[in-house]
Amino acid sequence: MPYTLTPHPILQAPMAGGATTPELVAAVSNAGGLGSLAGVMLSPEKLREEIRKIRTLTDRPFSVNLFVLKPVAVAQAELEAAMERLQPIRAELGLPPGKAPVKFSEDFEAQLEVLLEEKPPVVSFHFDLLPARQVERLHQAGCKVIGTATHVAEAMAWQEAGADYLCAQGAEAGGHRGTFIGPFEHAMTGILALLPQVVEAVKIPVIAAGGIMDGRGIAAALLLGASAVQMGTAFLTCPEAGIHPLFKQALLQTKGDPTVVTRTFSGRPARALRNAFIERMQPYEAQVPPYPIQNALTAEIRQAAAKAGRLEFMSLWAGQAACLCRSLPAALLVETLVQETHEALYRLEGALHA
Ligand SMILES: Cc1cc2nc3c(=O)[nH]c(=O)nc-3n(C[C@H](O)[C@H](O)[C@H](O)COP(=O)(O)O)c2cc1C
């Protein structure tokens, strides 16, 4: 199935935590890709403001992403135990003993209403399935809908719910696992194996995500039946990306694959560069309360660590091919990716006729 959202079949992944600034989103869209704003951590007011800012920077299509979140409850004893476990790290950062957060996350329903009012051309969802009636409301507002899946049953569920595009997230991907049917350990299929399965199972166009860093990866994904690719880590080292300079530096110095999938930061499995926080919290991996509770409990630690330049306590979400990061302005990165894809496909043609 064709991909018709933008001239180039390249989506810059939504990346929560400040990476996807309006400047990054607009630069990618202006270069002919699809820039995506991560909305999950933004209050409804801030979400509206950033969407409007993007509109001042580009008249091209762009996308806004949310996590589909359902209310969760936690027992007081579990909450206290979780706060207690974080205490030594808080102390090391000079933070006072933690207090229970006033709220664990932004209000998903209120964020969704902002999307329905602001009507970004494309909206995408992570973490869970949006009910068909909500997909229909977004369609009526004129938005195209992308759903994230990590295996075939999830892909079919999104198709059934009415999604226009499916983002297949391979195990290599940086950030949170999108798994919502079954345990995440059963959905750790690499993109090379996952993509053809999903492409065969659904009729809607499939966007490949996970470990794609250059034109070789894009060409491979297109040959496996993807209609487009979604790249996250590759855009983290663009000057427009809003991550900590030390995180950028760490990505550019990465060798091999120093990533690990961990629940310790947020309560939901996510791939990150291994650091001291993960190693010290590893023994409690199974006890950590679910997202968004643990995420809220570690928020002050992550902020204080960023302020103090303590990389060892920041959440450094990144994919398995982070060592291929380059420091290029977003527009030049998109242009380079397109050029490299042409070259990769040309080389393939040559190999066939050698
Ligand atoms: C720093 C970071 C933050 C992310 N945050 C989000 C997010 O807010 N929403 C989302 O749908 N995906 C998020 N992802 C996952 C991406 O959509 C995508 O699956 C992933 O970046 C693809 O793998 P790659 O990083 O190897 O390119 C994030 C990824 C990274 C690296």
Side-chain angles (χ1 to χ4, degrees):
M1 280 283 287
Y3 165 91
T4 52
L5 294 174
T6 49
H8 305 312
I10 299 171
L11 287 77
Q12 160 257 308
M15 292 183 281
T20 54
T21 58
E23 289 73 18
L24 177 67
V25 175
V28 172
S29 289
N30 284 333
L34 190 76
S36 314
L37 174 73
V40 62
M41 311 287 254
L42 306 179
S43 66
E45 299 72 38
K46 186 77 182 149
L47 182 60
R48 193 186 301 279
E49 195 184 305
E50 298 225 339
I51 293 171
R52 291 186 178 177
K53 176 84 192 286
I54 293 167
R55 285 207 154 108
T56 65
L57 300 173
T58 185
D59 52 9
R60 300 279 187 98
F62 64 94
S63 164
V64 182
N65 172 266
L66 292 178
F67 292 177
V68 181
L69 294 179
K70 293 182 180 129
V72 284
V74 63
Q76 189 60 24
E78 194 190 341
L79 190 63
E80 277 166 21
M83 290 196 293
E84 191 61 39
R85 284 193 289 267
L86 294 168
Q87 195 41 49
I89 295 176
R90 290 184 68 93
E92 263 186 66
L93 284 163
L95 289 169
K99 292 203 190 85
V102 186
K103 60 176 179 180
F104 292 116
S105 67
E106 295 299 332
D107 180 347
F108 171 69
E109 296 295 333
Q111 290 174 321
L112 194 60
E113 286 308 311
V114 172
L115 298 194
L116 286 160
E117 287 162 20
E118 292 298 317
K119 307 178 178 32
V122 184
V123 292
S124 72
F125 295 94
H126 200 27
F127 273 39
D128 209 340
L129 186 65
L130 200 64
R133 68 187 154 77
Q134 302 282 40
V135 175
E136 179 52 28
R137 285 181 77 203
L138 287 160
H139 281 159
Q140 278 169 10
C143 307
K144 294 283 183 207
V145 176
I146 305 175
T148 307
T150 60
H151 58 74
V152 166
E154 291 171 352
M156 291 174 74
W158 267 113
Q159 176 171 263
E160 185 73 14
D164 303 285
Y165 293 87
L166 197 279
C167 178
Q169 190 191 39
E172 305 90 336
H176 286 99
R177 302 297 304 144
T179 309
F180 60 89
I181 300 176
F184 94 93
E185 294 92 339
H186 294 185
M188 290 298 283
T189 311
I191 199 66
L192 194 69
L194 178 66
L195 197 47
Q197 294 177 36
V198 172
V199 167
E200 282 193 17
V202 296
K203 294 192 177 68
I204 53 178
V206 178
I207 299 160
I212 301 170
M213 300 297 288
D214 54 30
R216 294 171 296 186
I218 298 173
L222 296 179
L223 287 169
L224 286 169
S227 300
V229 297
Q230 176 159 303
M231 302 166 61
T233 306
F235 283 95
L236 285 176
T237 43
C238 292
E240 297 93 336
I243 61 168
H244 199 285
L246 289 175
F247 182 17
K248 276 190 196 177
Q249 201 180 321
L251 286 166
L252 291 168
Q253 288 169 357
T254 291
K255 304 245 178 324
D257 172 19
T259 67
V260 62
V261 175
T262 180
R263 289 180 68 244
T264 56
F265 273 112
S266 73
R268 180 153 175 138
R271 189 176 290 286
L273 299 184
R274 191 190 297 270
N275 65 1
F277 181 93
I278 297 171
E279 275 162 19
R280 283 169 55 175
M281 295 297 291
Q282 195 92 46
Y284 313 110
E285 182 80 36
Q287 287 133 273
V288 161
Y291 191 99
I293 295 161
Q294 179 74 358
N295 197 54
L297 295 183
T298 61
E300 276 184 355
I301 291 179
R302 289 179 278 122
Q303 281 154 16
K307 212 167 157 195
R310 305 272 303 263
L311 214 49
E312 71 270 33
F313 297 139
M314 296 185 209
S315 56
L316 309 171
W317 308 137
Q320 286 189 300
C323 61
L324 298 175
C325 273
R326 305 174 261 198
S327 178
L328 293 177
L332 184 56
L333 179 57
V334 172
E335 194 187 309
T336 306
L337 292 170
V338 172
Q339 180 64 26
E340 288 173 348
T341 308
H342 281 299
E343 284 165 13
L345 292 171
Y346 183 76
R347 275 201 306 277
L348 181 76
E349 190 71 10
L352 280 176
H353 296 109

